[in-house]
Amino acid sequence: MQKNDISPPSHFIRQIVANDLQSHKHHGKVVTRFPPEPNGYLHIGHAKSICLNFGTALENNGACNLRFDDTNPEKESIEYMESIQRDVAWLGFEWTQLCHASDYFEVLYQHAVTLIEKGLAYVDSLSAEEIRLYRGTLTQPGKESPDRNRSIADNLDLFARMRAGEFADGQYVLRAKIDMASPNINLRDPALYRIRRVHHQRTGDAWCIYPMYDYTHCISDAIEGITHSLCTLEFEDHRPLYDWVLDKLQTPCHPQQIEFARLQLEYTIVSKRKLNQLVTEKHVSGWDDPRMPTIAGLRRAGFTPQAIKDFCERIGITKQNSWIEMGVLEYCIREDLNTNALRAMAVLEPLRVVITNYPDEKVEELTLSNHPQREELGKRIVPFSKTIFIEREDFSENPPPKYKRLVLGAEVRLRGAYVICCHEVIKNAAGEIIELHCTYDENTLGKNPEGRKVKGVIHWVSQAHSCPAEVRLYERLFTVAQPDNEENFLEVVNPHSLQILKECRVEASLRAATSENRYQFERTGYFCVDSDSTVEKLVFNRTVTLRDNGEKD
RNA sequence: UGGGUCGUCGCCAAGCGGUAAGGCACGGGGUUUUGAUCUCCGCAUACCAAGGUUCGAAUCCUUGCGACCCAGCCA
């Protein structure tokens, strides 16, 4: 019944859209949009919105635009616009149209003139500070501005002169005339336009007045024929304003705004301001640092678009503020990589092992499967020789109970090769183990020894044939589940979030691995070739460890 | 003390008056040349609380309680 049921689980927005389709509410069409402000890189929270918006369109044969909400040039840039397009495309979505709120500046202006003509907007000379004071409080109504009853002719004249650049920044503002006593503060004559002499990335210096979000967004939606305008919960009480503007104006349609809860992921931060601070203050290497919850960071860490989309589907869409555990995201990437990543052996902290009864110059080219469950993924050659490396932690002189790896005087299986037995531990003057002497049982290649059971299996690489590599081990960036609730989130940055291992050895087949190739290093985790990697110096990032149910140490 | 929204398992989340889906996490068994994968089993007499309506309530009503959002010329 539930097996292979490919239809995604329902949620309230899917239900609304389905109902609207049935009642022919928007002429049977579904048009959505993803409207980021280009003031930072996209993060995992945006991915939820992207999947919702593009997904809703895809499921209903509709359209979805990528629209830049570029109404505040002070904070926005072309770099961000480019990164946003790159990230959305990498996730695998294609926008129907690439739009910019700034493309609508002229229509927006004309609509504002209409509002003035209808006596629904006025030019106010109050300062920002005064407007704040006049607004009242949550429990007390606001006061009307002395300019509220300025004549339509004067308003028209002043607004035209605002556009013409006759006034200083902040000298005037265009306000909607709604209700200073409204219990909804957004309706207490909200600002529609402000004067700001800032160069805009796209319109250059054509404008010195810029429209506000509330005024711009609804009209932009209407212009594009959006049917369902999906946004996060904090805009819930902006909806009356969204509807007010469209009700007063002649627009192509009146989209329906629907709000859903934004993503909150444990151990991460999604405030653009704080992410920007992490980058600027060098707590991370950049917006695409693998520890960052940005799309670019997840990508560099080795996450796949499919895993991110799967995650967004699993967490659901509701109006409940909720916190998602990291385990869900980790499950999604492990599931994808377990079925799709090729297997390889890599020794992160090498310990030399000499197989004393193995011929000095002999080299065997062992053939190993690239994937234990998927033969169609092919095989690879892994050379075996007298001197190999194993993981330092795969040998113990004082093994804890249930230790399944190598100990003195006992056997262990070398994955894909022979069973070896350790006979001697070589130490340096400081008492540190520098080498192991073992013997191999030549009758154990591809078969179990007779009469005894070898329970442990460890990975290895041949000293002479393996390649050096740098491996970067990442852990969660914060030490507490909700760093945002901290007085200073920088104090809970995890000091051990990055560990760089420079002396690693990876099997020969990895020599030609290139950026973004993903592997499972058997028994240690999933890894991805970093963009810093070169033929001379391989660099891998750990995406996520393998799930560990065992009782190690 | 205004307005808006939300309260179902440790974390998500179905449920839309007919007697609590599913996923993650967790615990236990089996398979395994990855302590992985896979597989089997277990995991809410209970739905914020208290009343009420009903043959029957997580679903309807009432009253409480708790949480989140809003006082940018940010989005």
Side-chain angles (χ1 to χ4, degrees), chain A residues 12 49 55 111 177 220 228 303 318 341 389 405 435 449 483:
Chain A
F12 81 104
S49 175
H111 279 308
K177 190 190 285 189
S220 301
H228 303 269
F303 278 74
T318 68
F389 289 121
R405 293 169 268 172
E435 190 173 296

Side-chain angles (χ1 to χ4, degrees), chain A residues 31-36 53-54 57 63-68 94-99 104 220-221 223-226:
Chain A
V31 183
T32 57
R33 98 272 93 114
F34 171 59
N53 279 292
F54 283 92
C64 181
N65 296 341
L66 170 59
R67 180 169 76 230
F68 289 109
E94 291 176 37
W95 46 88
T96 306
Q97 291 181 69
L98 180 63
C99 307
Y104 313 134
S220 301
D221 280 346
I223 290 171
E224 293 173 24
I226 301 301

Side-chain angles (χ1 to χ4, degrees), chain A residues 241-397:
Chain A
L241 178 52
Y242 184 106
D243 290 331
W244 183 90
V245 172
L246 294 184
D247 284 342
K248 303 302 179 194
L249 261 15
Q250 286 284 40
T251 55
C253 64
H254 188 139
Q256 175 183 8
Q257 176 176 304
I258 304 169
E259 310 84 11
F260 62 95
R262 68 180 333 138
L263 169 67
Q264 301 185 97
L265 220 206
E266 289 190 346
Y267 296 99
T268 73
I269 254 172
V270 285
S271 144
K272 279 194 207 169
R273 198 203 100 235
K274 291 178 181 173
L275 291 176
N276 196 58
Q277 195 178 346
L278 288 172
V279 173
T280 311
E281 297 179 7
K282 311 274 190 207
H283 295 99
V284 295
S285 64
W287 284 97
D288 69 343
D289 185 297
R291 291 165 292 181
M292 291 283 273
T294 51
I295 305 292
L298 291 166
R299 175 181 182 174
R300 189 166 178 186
F303 278 74
T304 59
Q306 190 47 52
I308 293 171
K309 290 192 265 194
D310 180 36
F311 171 75
C312 292
E313 193 60 70
R314 278 170 188 276
I315 60 177
I317 300 289
T318 68
K319 300 190 73 154
Q320 296 183 47
N321 279 118
S322 59
W323 283 88
I324 308 297
E325 293 177 340
M326 257 302 173
V328 182
L329 217 209
E330 291 177 349
Y331 175 84
C332 293
I333 187 58
R334 285 193 184 112
E335 184 181 58
D336 186 357
L337 262 18
N338 176 54
T339 85
N340 296 310
L342 301 185
R343 308 291 125 120
M345 289 195 285
V347 176
L348 271 29
E349 296 184 273
L351 172 60
R352 182 183 299 108
V353 172
V354 177
I355 300 167
T356 54
N357 62 338
Y358 196 83
D360 285 355
E361 305 302 326
K362 186 174 178 182
V363 176
E364 284 179 89
E365 296 203 324
L366 305 176
T367 302
L368 275 64
S369 284
N370 282 329
H371 190 112
Q373 282 85 35
R374 298 180 60 192
E375 280 306 307
E376 75 274 20
L377 260 24
K379 298 182 180 305
R380 67 191 195 279
I381 301 294
V382 181
F384 183 79
S385 64
K386 186 182 183 78
T387 305
I388 62 173
F389 289 121
I390 66 168
E391 208 70 69
R392 201 158 265 281
E393 64 170 29
D394 281 341
F395 174 79
S396 176
E397 286 187 295

Side-chain angles (χ1 to χ4, degrees), chain A residues 132-148:
Chain A
R132 188 174 63 75
L133 263 17
Y134 274 67
R135 186 150 32 225
T137 69
L138 294 178
T139 52
Q140 292 168 295
K143 261 193 323 190
E144 296 189 351
S145 165
D147 291 346
R148 198 172 200 263

Side-chain angles (χ1 to χ4, degrees), chain A residues 80-124:
Chain A
Y80 293 138
M81 286 193 181
E82 289 170 346
S83 74
I84 288 167
Q85 291 176 64
R86 194 186 314 132
D87 291 342
V88 171
W90 177 74
L91 280 174
F93 293 110
E94 291 176 37
W95 46 88
T96 306
Q97 291 181 69
L98 180 63
C99 307
H100 303 262
S102 55
D103 287 342
Y104 313 134
F105 280 174
E106 186 57 43
V107 223
L108 254 9
Y109 178 84
Q110 293 308 330
H111 279 308
V113 168
T114 301
L115 286 180
I116 294 172
E117 287 169 345
K118 289 184 168 183
L120 296 170
Y122 61 97
V123 173
D124 199 347

Side-chain angles (χ1 to χ4, degrees), chain A residues 334-485:
Chain A
R334 285 193 184 112
E335 184 181 58
D336 186 357
L337 262 18
N338 176 54
T339 85
N340 296 310
L342 301 185
R343 308 291 125 120
M345 289 195 285
V347 176
L348 271 29
E349 296 184 273
L351 172 60
R352 182 183 299 108
V353 172
V354 177
I355 300 167
T356 54
N357 62 338
Y358 196 83
D360 285 355
E361 305 302 326
K362 186 174 178 182
V363 176
E364 284 179 89
E365 296 203 324
L366 305 176
T367 302
L368 275 64
S369 284
N370 282 329
H371 190 112
Q373 282 85 35
R374 298 180 60 192
E375 280 306 307
E376 75 274 20
L377 260 24
K379 298 182 180 305
R380 67 191 195 279
I381 301 294
V382 181
F384 183 79
S385 64
K386 186 182 183 78
T387 305
I388 62 173
F389 289 121
I390 66 168
E391 208 70 69
R392 201 158 265 281
E393 64 170 29
D394 281 341
F395 174 79
S396 176
E397 286 187 295
N398 303 297
K402 299 198 179 176
Y403 189 74
K404 291 171 62 176
R405 293 169 268 172
L406 190 61
V407 299
L408 191 58
E411 290 183 311
V412 78
R413 157 76 63 182
L414 291 179
R415 165 120 256 232
Y418 300 95
V419 169
I420 58 170
C421 181
C422 181
H423 296 290
E424 192 181 359
V425 180
I426 314 292
K427 297 182 181 177
N428 63 12
E432 298 160 338
I433 302 173
I434 54 167
E435 190 173 296
L436 260 25
H437 284 3
C438 298
T439 55
Y440 84 116
D441 180 342
E442 68 176 323
N443 239 324
T444 54
L445 186 60
K447 57 186 171 190
N448 286 319
E450 285 167 29
R452 59 212 140 99
K453 186 111 169 98
V454 177
K455 67 278 176 207
V457 180
I458 63 174
H459 55 97
W460 57 277
V461 295
S462 166
Q463 178 181 60
H465 308 272
S466 57
C467 329
E470 173 177 316
V471 173
R472 300 173 183 171
L473 303 180
Y474 296 99
E475 275 164 37
R476 46 184 59 139
L477 227 202
F478 296 99
T479 57
V480 300
Q482 303 184 358
D484 250 320
N485 293 348

